[in-house]
Amino acid sequence: AMSPVVKVYGWAVSPFVARSLLCLEEAGVEYELVPMSREAGDHRKPDFLGRNPFGQVPVLEDGDLTLFESRAIARHVLRKHKPELLGSGSPESAAMVDVWLEVEAHQHHPAAAAIFVHCIVAPLLGGAPDQAVVNENVAKLRKVLEVYEARLSASRYLAGNDISLADLSHFPIMRYFMQTEYASLVEELPHVNAWWEGLKARPAARKVAEFMPPDLGLGKKAEQL
Amino acid sequence: SSPVKVFGHATSTNVARVLLCLEEVGAEYELVPVDFLAGEHNTPEHVQRNPFGKIPAFQDGDLVLFESRAIARYILRKYRTPGSPDLLGENGGAEEAAMVDVWTEVEAQQYHPAISPVVFECIIFPVMRGAKTDQKVVDESLERLRLVLGTYEERLSKSRYLAGDSFSFADLNHFPFTFYFMATPYAALLDEYPRVKAWWEDLMARPSVKRVCANMPTKFCF
């Protein structure tokens, strides 16, 4: 019997959906992306809320398993198909991956995402960035990236010698962040910049980036506003 | 082997998260104080352990870790004994671990952003900075929290614990901020969600939780 194809529900421009797709691509797992419309409010409709009661994309269906929260989806896909990307060899190597996964979630993402939302999303929706918020987050991200520069000067990848989910998890939001005028924050740090260049050159990253145009597919709409 | 070291103080929410895991697995540990108010977290010595200058930091022999959820996972894997519960669900099928991860992320991404501002405004900022409570922030957060608790109430009507039939890391992660929330004037909010309230009381009854609570204040004067 054919094994059921993994399904991902969501819009691929979302950095959270993209995180899930990136893991599936890295692990070489066949999947079906079930398109949803943010505009039509598909994520608020009853049948989607039955999958994720928090009404957010992505959702991943793997046989009988229905998962949400992109970082949990990422762990599941890799645990099942490519556990070395979670540092599965030992509690110590797994711990290093977990450390930098938490850093991504709690130190990197909030600042990078705020800049993305204000500098890319807001203008596309006809709004203006709150420059005070942008400045605050640029200052935060600068400090965070200084730590990354020191880390990547001492370690080939964030968790150690081998690439892991800790590195990959940064790709989606950075893909957008690097389109803003603040890309220089990364470019001016040689090790962070080299690490970023390496990430974005990965075939899986290039594949996923195809679904992540810098204008989030809203460009034509913005022109019409 | 020597006890592991946790750098921080027992009243810190993120330190409490780590101590809770140590208590759950029954591992010996030493709590090494870091005087936050005196700026000890910014000293070169501490920054070597946690480059973001936060607490906790953790040391087990040569291994130095930071980020409380990462430390917690390490402890639960490394120090788990055959008799103790599989709190990460990693020794079951793929499904158990996945559900633990989902609800662990829910705590971090849905629950925490709703509940923590109430704790910060009502307790942490007044205690640490002598700041006044921003009632607007509190009110907005409580509205958000109501929605989250409604979803939790629904979940707990179908599942004994958040990730499934067994207590897990996902449930445990709710302890630190909920503990302090229950010391704010808004504790009665949980009474509106009876299954959530019962789940919380079950968690508070765990021996490990009681031991950690013993070092966390419930009354604040400011």
Side-chain angles (χ1 to χ4, degrees):
Chain A
M2 239 176 56
S3 61
V5 170
V6 166
K7 287 186 184 173
V8 178
Y9 294 77
W11 37 87
V13 295
S14 152
F16 305 104
V17 174
R19 173 180 283 122
S20 307
L21 302 184
L22 183 62
C23 290
L24 289 161
E25 291 285 343
E26 285 281 345
V29 174
E30 238 190 85
Y31 63 93
E32 180 194 331
L33 178 61
V34 179
M36 288 173 57
S37 165
R38 191 176 191 278
E39 245 191 355
D42 286 348
H43 51 310
R44 301 281 175 214
K45 292 178 182 163
D47 67 309
F48 186 75
L49 291 174
R51 294 184 167 97
N52 181 358
F54 296 95
Q56 292 177 342
V57 297
V59 158
L60 178 136
E61 283 178 353
D62 183 3
D64 288 335
L65 201 53
T66 299
L67 304 177
F68 48 94
E69 292 296 334
S70 66
R71 292 178 183 87
I73 290 170
R75 283 182 182 271
H76 167 72
V77 169
L78 296 180
R79 183 183 295 118
K80 194 169 169 181
H81 299 285
K82 210 155 190 182
E84 60 268 34
L85 289 178
L86 294 174
S88 61
S90 68
E92 291 75 17
S93 57
M96 292 312 298
V97 175
D98 287 339
V99 164
W100 289 94
L101 278 171
E102 293 298 321
V103 170
E104 183 280 322
H106 301 295
Q107 315 285 353
H108 185 275
H109 180 88
I115 295 165
F116 158 65
V117 163
H118 283 266
C119 297
I120 294 184
V121 178
L124 283 170
L125 297 178
D130 181 336
Q131 199 58 43
V133 171
V134 172
N135 294 344
E136 193 191 318
N137 284 285
V138 166
K140 281 183 182 166
L141 189 58
R142 178 173 280 121
K143 284 201 160 148
V144 167
L145 291 177
E146 280 167 11
V147 176
Y148 278 49
E149 181 65 15
R151 174 61 181 168
L152 292 166
S153 308
S155 178
R156 193 167 169 217
Y157 292 100
L158 288 173
N161 271 335
D162 300 314
I163 197 164
S164 74
L165 178 63
D167 309 286
L168 298 173
S169 205
H170 289 77
F171 174 76
I173 203 66
M174 284 189 73
R175 188 272 182 287
Y176 288 128
F177 171 80
M178 293 305 285
Q179 304 289 332
T180 71
E181 67 195 87
Y182 302 101
S184 53
L185 286 178
V186 167
E187 288 156 358
E188 65 200 16
L189 297 169
H191 293 87
V192 175
N193 193 51
W195 167 79
W196 164 245
E197 290 290 329
L199 274 180
K200 83 177 195 197
R202 295 179 72 82
R206 291 167 81 131
K207 177 79 195 287
V208 169
E210 285 172 27
F211 304 124
M212 304 172 75
D215 68 356
L216 309 177
L218 294 171
K220 291 207 164 90
K221 207 146 287 176
E223 279 164 21
Q224 288 161 14
L225 279 173
Chain B
S1 57
S2 50
V4 302
K5 289 184 181 172
V6 181
F7 298 87
H9 53 85
T11 57
S12 147
T13 48
N14 291 320
V15 172
R17 189 194 314 276
V18 170
L19 300 185
L20 197 46
C21 290
L22 288 163
E23 293 287 350
E24 282 283 336
V25 298
E28 263 189 64
Y29 63 93
E30 186 191 331
L31 183 59
V32 179
V34 174
D35 192 342
F36 209 81
L37 288 171
E40 200 182 335
H41 55 299
N42 289 323
T43 59
E45 211 181 27
H46 186 75
V47 170
Q48 269 231 311
R49 295 185 194 109
N50 184 337
F52 295 94
K54 291 176 189 281
I55 58 169
F58 173 87
Q59 186 179 347
D60 185 0
D62 289 335
L63 183 68
V64 177
L65 302 175
F66 56 97
E67 289 295 334
S68 62
R69 290 176 184 82
I71 297 167
R73 283 178 183 271
Y74 169 78
I75 289 163
L76 294 177
R77 283 182 191 123
K78 180 84 178 183
Y79 289 97
R80 192 179 155 238
T81 57
S84 66
D86 179 19
L87 296 175
L88 292 173
E90 287 176 341
N91 296 290
E95 301 193 0
E96 216 184 310
M99 292 311 295
V100 173
D101 286 341
V102 165
W103 287 91
T104 296
E105 286 300 314
V106 167
E107 188 280 329
Q109 302 294 335
Q110 312 290 343
Y111 188 86
H112 180 90
I115 202 170
S116 63
V118 181
V119 173
F120 277 103
E121 288 297 332
C122 294
I123 297 176
I124 297 177
F125 292 156
V127 167
M128 292 194 61
R129 305 177 191 171
K132 267 189 74 174
T133 300
D134 185 335
Q135 196 58 43
K136 185 162 178 273
V137 170
V138 170
D139 292 340
E140 282 168 3
S141 300
L142 289 173
E143 249 194 74
R144 247 180 113 171
L145 185 56
R146 281 202 152 83
L147 292 174
V148 172
L149 291 177
T151 306
Y152 275 46
E153 186 72 10
E154 176 65 28
R155 172 63 181 168
L156 292 167
S157 74
K158 295 180 219 161
S159 181
R160 189 167 170 214
Y161 293 98
L162 288 173
D165 288 335
S166 308
F167 182 80
S168 80
F169 184 56
D171 306 288
L172 197 153
N173 270 301
H174 290 75
F175 166 74
F177 274 91
T178 311
F179 175 83
Y180 282 123
F181 177 82
M182 297 306 277
T184 71
Y186 306 99
L189 181 61
L190 246 65
D191 296 337
E192 298 174 29
Y193 304 92
R195 291 191 184 93
V196 176
K197 185 76 193 277
W199 162 82
W200 172 246
E201 286 175 341
D202 176 273
L203 200 154
M204 284 293 279
R206 292 181 78 83
S208 62
V209 174
K210 287 183 183 176
R211 283 194 290 273
V212 171
C213 279
N215 297 313
M216 295 169 80
T218 54
K219 302 258 183 288
F220 299 92
C221 301
F222 37 74

